[in-house]
Amino acid sequence: MRKPIRNKRNLLANSDFAAGRLSPSRWRWTRTGKGITWKRLGDDELTPGIEIVSCGHMGRAAWYQDIASKPGADYRVEADVDCDLTANAAVDAANDEGCGFTLQIQPAATSKPEFLRTTPFILKSDGDLSVRAYYQAPKKVRKLRVSVAILNAIGRVKIRDVRCIPIIEPEEESHLLAFPPPTYLIPPSPLAVRSACIFTHPNTRNGLIRLLSKKLGPAAVSCESPTDELSNFLNDSNAVFFPDDVPPSSFRTLIDLQRFAEHRVVVISLRAFASLTRGAAKIRTIRQSADPIHARVDWSNHVTAGFALHDAVPFASRGNIPGSFSQTHIIGTPRFSAFCKKHHLVTLLSSICESEAASHHPVALACSYEKGAFYVIDLDVLEDQPTTFDETHLAKHIALGMLGRSWVGLGQYSVPPATQSSFADLWRDMPQRIDHFRFRFAENSKDVPSEVTIGEDDGSLGLLPATRPIIRLRTGFAPGDVESFFGAWCWFKQLLGVHTRPCPYAGPLLRRFRPIWSPACTPWDARRGWNPPAIDSCGSDAREAHEMFSAPHAAIIDLVARRIDHCRVILHPGNKDNSRFKVWIPQLYRCTSEQDGADRSTYGMSNPNDLEIGVDDSKFDSPMHKHVIAQGGLAIRIETPWQGPLFVARSIEATEQTASLIEHVVGLVFGLILVNRRHDHIVLDDFEAIAPGHALILDLLPSWQADHVQLKHSHQ
C-alpha cells in the first residue's frame, strides 16, 4: 500500500480513513438495519481506504463528518469509490431511487429532508469512480455535514478518499445565445478515417484504443511499438497516432512529419511535437486542486462542431494528488506564433486555469491539407479515471472530430446556469442578441418568461397578421430537468436561424401555426451533480391560468426527461393522426440519428432503433391538456433519457437527440419535415434522396406537395 498523499485544500480531515487505531478518526459511523459492517482496506490495496459490506437488503449505513463552511461559498464534493452492489428488489430500482451508494451533504444543524443533497445512487462501477457534485452553502450556515452512505443494497463499496474543496466558481461555460453552424456548413474533414494505427507502448493507451475500436471496429485498430518501422504498418491505416512524449524516429524534422500527414490524419502529443520545433515550442504542465482545468474553443471547424467559439470545456488529466488536475500546454510566445504561421498551424484549444498567466496558451493545434490533417494534442484525458460527470466524453467528441467521424446538426454544448438568478440573466440578455423572440411573464414571475413566441401575437417575421393555431411546447416540469429545456431551446432558436443558415421550414410553418414555448413550468435548479426531486412528476398548471387563449391549439407537446434508456413518444388515444405518427416518427428519427453507419451508442446515447411509440391517456390529465383536446388539438408527450450529472459532457448529443425529435413531431403536425444537415445524402422511404443542405417539406393542409428546398448559406 502506498503512503497516503492528501490534498491540502480538502476541508475533510483523515479523508482516506487511514488515521485512527480502532476506527477512523474524525469520522462517525451510523447504521440502521442489520447485516451492515465496515473494515479498513487490506495491505494488498494500492491506496488506503475503508470498505462497507452489506449482507442485508434493507437499511442505511454511513460515515459522516462535520466541517466548518462559509455562508454562500462554493464547494466541490467528491468521493473515490469502487462499488459492487445489488439493489433491494422491494425498492423501485428501475427509477434508481434509494438503492446503492450515495454522497450526501446538508447543513449540520438540521435533519430536514428538504436541505439534504444526494448524488444519484450507484450500484456498479467498472473499477474506481469519482462521484462528484458542486454545492453552494446556504446563507447563515457555517457548518456542513458530508456523508458517504449505502442504502437498501447488498454487496460492498470501497471508499478510498472523500473530499470537500472550496472553489471560486466553475470555469465551465457555454454561449447559449450563439448559433454554432451545423455539420453541412462546415468544411468536412479531408477524409473519414476507416482504420488507425497507434504507436505506443503496450497497455498505456487503453482509453484511446477502446474509443477507436468502438467507432472503427476492433479489426481496424492496431497498436504497435514506437520503435517499429512505420512503413510496415501504414498500408491499411489512414490515421496514425503518436501519443507518447518522444517523436517517431522516422521523422527528423516537423516538415517531414507534415508531409507524411498530407495523405492521412496524424495526431501527435505536445511534447513529441515540441521536440521537432528546435526550441520554438516550450512545454509547461499546470497542476491545480480547486477545479478541473478547462480548455477554450478558439477555432471553428469539423473538430469543434457543436461548440460555440470561446466555450470552456473540461480538458485535464487527474493529478498525482487526490482531487487535483493536470494540463500540459505550449507557452504562447511571439516566436511560437511566428512558427505556427510559418507551418500553417492554428490553435484549436487554449488553456483556462486559475491564474491569468497560465491561461490562453495553446492546448491543441491543427493544420488541414487536401487529403489529410495534422493535429497536436495530448489525449491523456482519455486514460483518466472516470467520474460521474464523464468529462472524458468531450475529449472523445474532439478526438472523433479529428477523424472525421462525428456529426452535429441541431445539438449544442450546453452548460446550465448554476442558479435561478443566472438563469434569469440568460433571458435578460436574449432580446439584445435575438430580435424576434417575444416574452410573456406570469404575475408571480417577472424574471423568467412563462411563454416565448416568435414575432407579435398576430404576426411573425414581418408576415401579414393572421389567426394561427398554436403549437405549444412545454418543458421544465421538474427542477433539474435541463435535458428538456436545452433540447427545446436548440430547436426553438434554430427557427430564427441567421442570415447564413435560415431554417428551411420556418416560413411555411409560421404561416400556418404560432409556436409558443413554456420554458420552465417549475423553478430553475441546475442540481450540479445532485439528485433532482420528483423527476418523473408531470408538472404543475400553476403558471397556465393566463394561457387559455381564444386562438385554437393545433397541438400541445410536453417534453420530459425520465430515468429510461431510450426515447419515447406518447400519444393521446383521442388524437386523429396517431397512425401517421407511429409510421413516420421512427423513420425520421433513424434518418437523423445514424452517424456514418453507426448509431449513437458510440456516444453513450439512445439507440435510434430503440425509439418507442405508445398511446396512453394517463399522461394528459391537466387543465391545459383537457383544453387542447376539447378543441380537437393533438396531445403529445416526448420522453428522453435523463442524463443527470452526465448532461454537460453529453449535451451536444442529448440536445441533438431531443431537438430532432421535436422537429419530427412538429413536422408531422404540419405535414412532414425532414432536414438534411449532414454532408452525405439521406433517404426516406417513398421519396428521393435528400441532398446535404436540403429539406423535404410536405404540407398536408393546402395541398400534398413535396419540395426540396435548398438552404442559402455561405461559410464564414
Side-chain angles (χ1 to χ4, degrees), residues 687-709:
F687 295 97
E688 296 180 1
I690 304 172
H694 289 64
L696 172 67
I697 304 174
L698 187 65
D699 193 334
L700 277 179
L701 290 186
S703 63
W704 289 85
Q705 51 183 309
D707 298 320
H708 287 278
V709 182

Side-chain angles (χ1 to χ4, degrees), residues 73-132:
D74 288 306
Y75 299 92
R76 188 178 86 244
V77 189
E78 58 190 3
D80 295 337
V81 301
D82 182 0
C83 298
D84 185 10
L85 299 168
T86 302
N88 180 4
V91 181
D92 190 4
N95 285 327
D96 198 27
E97 291 289 341
C99 296
F101 170 84
T102 182
L103 176 64
Q104 299 176 332
I105 193 169
Q106 66 186 117
T110 181
S111 58
K112 295 181 179 180
E114 59 265 30
F115 292 101
L116 177 66
R117 288 291 177 116
T118 301
T119 59
F121 287 89
I122 297 171
L123 293 172
K124 304 286 185 181
S125 65
D126 186 10
D128 288 344
L129 171 73
S130 290
V131 180
R132 179 179 299 160

Side-chain angles (χ1 to χ4, degrees), residues 634-694:
L634 305 178
I636 303 168
R637 176 180 169 105
I638 299 174
E639 297 180 349
T640 58
W642 177 70
Q643 300 294 326
L646 302 173
F647 172 75
V648 173
R650 300 185 179 184
S651 57
I652 297 176
E653 294 83 24
T655 53
E656 175 76 39
Q657 182 174 251
T658 303
S660 297
L661 265 176
I662 297 171
E663 184 170 85
H664 303 331
V665 170
V666 171
L668 287 170
V669 175
F670 172 85
L672 188 66
I673 293 174
L674 178 59
V675 182
N676 184 3
R677 298 181 175 89
R678 301 174 51 152
H679 280 301
D680 53 346
H681 288 66
I682 59 176
V683 179
L684 185 66
D685 291 351
D686 301 327
F687 295 97
E688 296 180 1
I690 304 172
H694 289 64

Side-chain angles (χ1 to χ4, degrees), residues 438-442 449-458 466-474 514-518 543-556 623-632:
R438 299 293 181 267
F439 302 154
R440 179 178 282 110
F441 293 88
S450 60
E451 288 182 351
V452 181
T453 188
I454 297 176
E456 302 300 335
D457 287 356
D458 55 356
T467 300
R468 294 165 291 150
I470 294 171
I471 296 178
R472 185 176 298 279
L473 183 66
R474 303 193 303 173
R514 183 181 168 212
I516 293 180
W517 175 29
S518 300
R543 302 188 182 188
E544 297 179 352
H546 66 287
E547 295 178 353
M548 306 294 186
F549 299 114
S550 57
H553 278 69
I556 181 170
M624 175 58 76
H625 289 128
K626 296 175 182 177
H627 174 72
V628 173
I629 294 169
Q631 292 179 329

Side-chain angles (χ1 to χ4, degrees), residues 206-221 393 396 400 405 598-605 650:
N206 293 330
L208 177 60
I209 294 172
R210 281 194 301 267
L211 174 66
L212 298 181
S213 298
K214 192 169 186 179
K215 189 64 178 179
L216 307 177
V221 180
H393 187 84
K396 293 177 184 178
L400 292 177
R405 300 302 301 269
D599 60 56
R600 291 182 182 276
S601 61
T602 302
Y603 294 90
M605 301 303 296
R650 300 185 179 184

Side-chain angles (χ1 to χ4, degrees), residues 474-479 481 484 521-522 534 537-540 544 558-560:
R474 303 193 303 173
T475 59
F477 286 101
D481 186 357
S484 69
C521 296
T522 55
S537 65
C538 62
S540 169
E544 297 179 352
D558 292 343
L559 204 63
V560 180

Side-chain angles (χ1 to χ4, degrees), residues 22-36:
L22 298 178
S23 65
S25 61
R26 305 295 294 272
W27 290 93
R28 295 185 179 181
W29 170 254
T30 180
R31 180 185 66 181
T32 61
K34 298 180 180 180
I36 306 178

